[in-house]
Amino acid sequence: MYKVLLVDDEWMILDGIASVMSWNRLGTELIGTAQDGLEALAFIELQRPDIIITDIRMPGMDGLQLVEAVTEMYQDISFVMLTGFTEFEYAKRAMQYGVKHYLLKPCSEESLMEAIAELVGEKDEWTDQAQFVQTIQTNLERVLPHAKQYFLKELVTNKTYGAKEWGHFGELFGVDFRSQQVRMLLVEIEGEHEYLHLFAIQNIAEDVFHNPILSTTLGRHVLLIMEDKLPEKQLFHNIDEIRHTFTRYYHYDLTMALSEPGELAQTRQLYMQTISYLNHRFYLGEGSLIMERDILSPEEHGYLEFEMDQERLVAAIQAGHWQVAEDELKQTFCLLSDQRYDIFQTKSYLIQTFMEIIRLSSPTGMKEYMDRLPCMMESSTLQSFQLFILDAARDIALERYRQQRSRQSQMVQAVKELVESRYEDESLTLQAIAGEIYMNPDYIGKIFKKETGEKFTNYVLRYRMGKALELLKQDSSCTVSSLAEKTGFGANWPYFSKVFKKYTGFSPSEYKKVP
């Protein structure tokens, strides 16, 4: 049964056509009505009718606009246009969208049934033809693609294939193994993905390269052999198009290896070439196109012995100096990237560095980092290794910094409390306090200034002056010598007076007279 939608802004026409037509006898069913093009378009997106009977003149979106919008989305929907006599020429514009059936309003039941019957007959014919073609294509598609893919897998993995086998399959697939120059593209999906994504890449690649010689999925890779006839610029453009198309729809990146040109008979060698290229993803990063020019030859390496000042790195992290530690690590990563040692050798350096760093964390933190170590060892690129190590180093360095700041703040607070309790003591000095808390006086002085913004001696004098002012407010008759003694200056009242005037702008006797 073909589904019919009726569209007209006049309810009488909608009801009339809906009620008088023998829909079932025509092999159709009326699935809905709409009073303008916009309402019809929303209905079409939900129900997908096969035939639409529509008036040409309607408010909002008219019949022609409806035909145009629907034809852009669905090529298989047919139309019958209802039009007034004066609108017939105007309605012919719809012919460009394949509309062939026009009925003048008011139309008879017989003319409408005839138009619908003709459309139903056309659709039946299209369906029969499509089913026949589909049957033929299905039978071919079931055999030939699988045979091609199987042959390609055997071609690159079976060492026993020789000229006889190549000749037999070449005749079957229309491939000349004697003279064609080809290139091989090996594609790998980055990240966890479904096996069906490999077939998506294969289909995209075949579309972009317009039926390459052979293509197949092989393990976790897609393998493509194409004739070496494109200019290099166009070749790279096509490869980028494969990546961009796949990434746009599936949100995974691709790493690809492109072989050098070679004869089709050298397919196995070209395949092994791309496999070796793909291993260099560790240094070149995910999402790369790797070719021979991207790989340094042994002569070009000029290896430098790997050296790393681990003591400097450890000391920086231990002291909470993240910036110094980060610079040290980045220098190490740059050296490893430039030198491109054997991948296992590079990983051993990185794991050794990681272990030195996490030893500086707490026992609980170290266990958590050790639990992450297997995941890090499986990292497929130097960049992912770097992220693991940088994250751990930064977290540990910042935690150390917070701990240092906390200890320093506690020490400064202890020093302040000692000053508050002993400010009257003439022997109160930084050296005396350092002796009591068993710390170096120079270190205490440095941290005290860093935390408070002033030297220890200035802080003590300022505190004592504050206490002197409090005493004067409590007893204005208090003598200068008494003030000096009670605020830690002992009998040296002249020095007390000098310091007092410096801080207040008045001598003690002048200050007493200030209103």
Side-chain angles (χ1 to χ4, degrees):
M1 300 285 282
Y2 294 106
K3 297 182 289 185
V4 179
L5 171 65
L6 185 57
V7 187
D8 200 301
D9 61 332
E10 298 183 38
W11 274 107
M12 291 183 62
I13 294 178
L14 286 177
D15 291 340
I17 294 177
S19 59
V20 303
M21 293 294 295
S22 301
W23 302 106
N24 290 340
R25 195 172 69 183
L26 291 169
T28 62
E29 61 172 328
L30 181 65
I31 61 170
T33 61
Q35 287 189 282
D36 58 51
L38 291 175
E39 184 183 348
L41 198 58
F43 184 90
I44 291 164
E45 291 176 355
L46 295 174
Q47 298 291 336
R48 284 294 302 276
D50 301 295
I51 299 171
I52 298 174
I53 303 169
T54 179
D55 189 9
I56 195 168
R57 288 287 193 182
M58 293 182 295
M61 176 184 282
D62 63 25
L64 288 180
Q65 292 171 328
L66 177 62
V67 170
E68 181 179 358
V70 171
T71 304
E72 287 181 0
M73 295 186 294
Y74 313 110
Q75 298 287 334
D76 57 339
I77 295 180
S78 302
F79 283 87
V80 176
M81 303 290 294
L82 303 179
T83 177
F85 181 77
T86 58
E87 302 165 348
F88 189 70
E89 290 299 323
Y90 174 64
K92 287 183 178 178
R93 284 175 44 197
M95 288 183 180
Q96 62 183 305
Y97 301 109
V99 178
K100 296 183 292 184
H101 297 278
Y102 305 89
L103 298 177
L104 290 175
K105 297 169 65 176
C107 61
S108 65
E109 178 185 350
E110 290 77 13
S111 60
L112 186 55
M113 288 184 64
E114 184 179 336
I116 294 174
E118 187 175 338
L119 287 177
V120 168
E122 291 174 359
K123 287 186 174 294
D124 286 342
E125 186 177 348
W126 293 340
T127 301
D128 291 342
Q129 291 176 352
Q131 288 177 346
F132 174 75
V133 172
Q134 184 62 43
T135 301
I136 298 298
Q137 290 177 341
T138 300
N139 290 335
L140 289 174
E141 289 170 357
R142 285 176 179 173
V143 178
L144 196 58
H146 292 293
K148 283 186 174 182
Q149 292 191 36
Y150 176 79
F151 170 60
L152 179 53
K153 291 176 183 179
E154 288 295 301
L155 192 62
V156 298
T157 58
N158 193 330
K159 297 180 181 180
T160 63
Y161 265 30
K164 180 179 179 181
E165 287 81 9
W166 289 346
H168 173 72
F169 283 105
E171 182 178 347
L172 177 63
F173 302 134
V175 178
D176 185 357
F177 286 96
R178 294 169 298 179
S179 60
Q180 277 188 299
Q181 285 283 305
V182 298
R183 296 186 87 152
M184 183 171 287
L185 183 69
L186 191 65
V187 185
E188 182 170 337
I189 303 174
E190 298 294 351
E192 295 294 329
H193 58 275
E194 297 180 13
Y195 189 69
L196 290 175
H197 288 139
L198 295 173
F199 295 104
I201 294 174
Q202 186 181 359
N203 292 334
I204 292 169
E206 289 177 353
D207 288 340
V208 170
F209 279 101
H210 305 298
N211 297 319
I213 297 173
L214 293 169
S215 68
T216 188
T217 59
L218 190 59
R220 56 194 177 94
H221 299 136
V222 173
L223 188 61
L224 196 75
I225 299 179
M226 58 266 191
E227 196 172 355
D228 183 35
K229 60 182 180 180
L230 291 176
E232 196 169 80
K233 183 177 180 180
Q234 182 62 45
L235 176 63
F236 292 158
H237 173 78
N238 287 6
I239 292 172
D240 281 340
E241 188 176 345
I242 293 172
R243 170 181 285 112
H244 293 153
T245 302
F246 181 78
T247 303
R248 184 169 67 250
Y249 287 108
Y250 298 99
H251 310 293
Y252 290 101
D253 205 352
L254 303 177
T255 300
M256 297 185 262
L258 180 66
S259 75
E260 293 299 296
E263 294 183 2
L264 194 54
Q266 299 173 306
T267 302
R268 178 171 171 76
Q269 293 94 308
L270 296 180
Y271 171 67
M272 298 307 297
Q273 193 179 90
T274 57
I275 287 289
S276 67
Y277 291 172
L278 211 55
N279 288 334
H280 285 264
R281 174 185 57 173
F282 181 80
Y283 287 109
L284 297 174
E286 297 177 356
S288 305
L289 172 62
I290 307 173
M291 303 171 58
E292 186 175 15
R293 67 187 68 170
D294 301 311
I295 301 171
L296 297 176
S297 65
E299 296 78 18
E300 293 174 307
H301 271 291
Y303 285 124
L304 296 175
E305 184 176 350
F306 178 73
E307 293 183 359
M308 180 180 178
D309 191 348
Q310 286 195 343
E311 289 185 5
R312 176 177 166 84
L313 173 64
V314 169
I317 296 175
Q318 201 163 22
H321 297 158
W322 165 237
Q323 192 61 58
V324 176
E326 183 183 29
D327 292 342
E328 192 71 27
L329 283 170
K330 286 184 176 179
Q331 289 178 15
T332 300
F333 297 145
C334 284
L335 175 61
L336 293 173
S337 179
D338 291 341
Q339 290 301 304
R340 297 192 193 177
Y341 300 103
D342 175 79
I343 293 174
F344 294 105
Q345 183 181 2
T346 297
K347 284 188 175 183
S348 71
Y349 290 145
L350 294 170
I351 292 170
Q352 180 184 353
T353 301
F354 182 74
M355 294 300 297
E356 289 293 329
I357 291 170
I358 66 174
R359 286 194 184 101
L360 301 174
S361 64
S362 65
T364 303
M366 186 171 181
K367 181 181 183 304
E368 291 177 358
Y369 288 121
M370 288 298 295
D371 290 341
R372 294 167 58 185
L373 185 59
C375 183
M376 187 181 81
M377 293 175 67
E378 294 176 3
S379 297
S380 58
T381 65
L382 178 60
Q383 183 182 22
S384 57
F385 253 97
Q386 291 177 201
L387 292 175
F388 263 109
I389 294 175
L390 284 171
D391 285 347
R394 181 181 61 252
D395 292 346
I396 295 171
L398 294 179
E399 179 59 29
R400 286 275 182 166
Y401 175 76
R402 286 189 289 269
Q403 291 172 357
Q404 292 277 8
R405 286 298 303 272
S406 177
R407 286 196 293 268
Q408 290 170 3
S409 297
Q410 291 173 8
M411 181 195 71
V412 169
Q413 184 59 34
V415 171
K416 286 182 176 181
E417 290 173 359
L418 284 171
V419 171
E420 291 171 8
S421 64
R422 295 175 49 189
Y423 70 92
E424 297 179 7
D425 185 355
E426 189 179 356
S427 66
L428 178 65
T429 62
L430 185 61
Q431 287 75 15
I433 289 178
E436 290 188 25
I437 61 177
Y438 304 101
M439 296 190 73
N440 183 283
D442 291 335
Y443 175 74
I444 295 176
K446 180 180 177 181
I447 298 304
F448 190 91
K449 184 176 182 181
K450 180 181 177 183
E451 287 285 318
T452 65
E454 63 181 336
K455 293 182 178 179
F456 172 79
T457 53
N458 290 343
Y459 177 81
V460 172
L461 285 174
R462 185 169 56 81
Y463 189 84
R464 282 171 168 169
M465 288 301 102
K467 287 297 182 181
L469 292 174
E470 287 180 14
L471 291 171
L472 279 174
K473 287 180 181 180
Q474 294 170 5
D475 183 7
S476 60
S477 64
C478 186
T479 63
V480 174
S481 59
S482 175
L483 283 173
E485 188 175 351
K486 290 180 178 180
T487 54
F489 288 87
N492 194 357
W493 62 266
Y495 178 60
F496 167 77
S497 296
K498 183 179 178 180
V499 174
F500 189 92
K501 187 169 185 177
K502 178 182 177 181
Y503 272 83
T504 65
F506 303 95
S507 67
S509 58
E510 290 172 339
Y511 189 84
K512 292 178 182 181
K513 299 175 183 178
V514 176

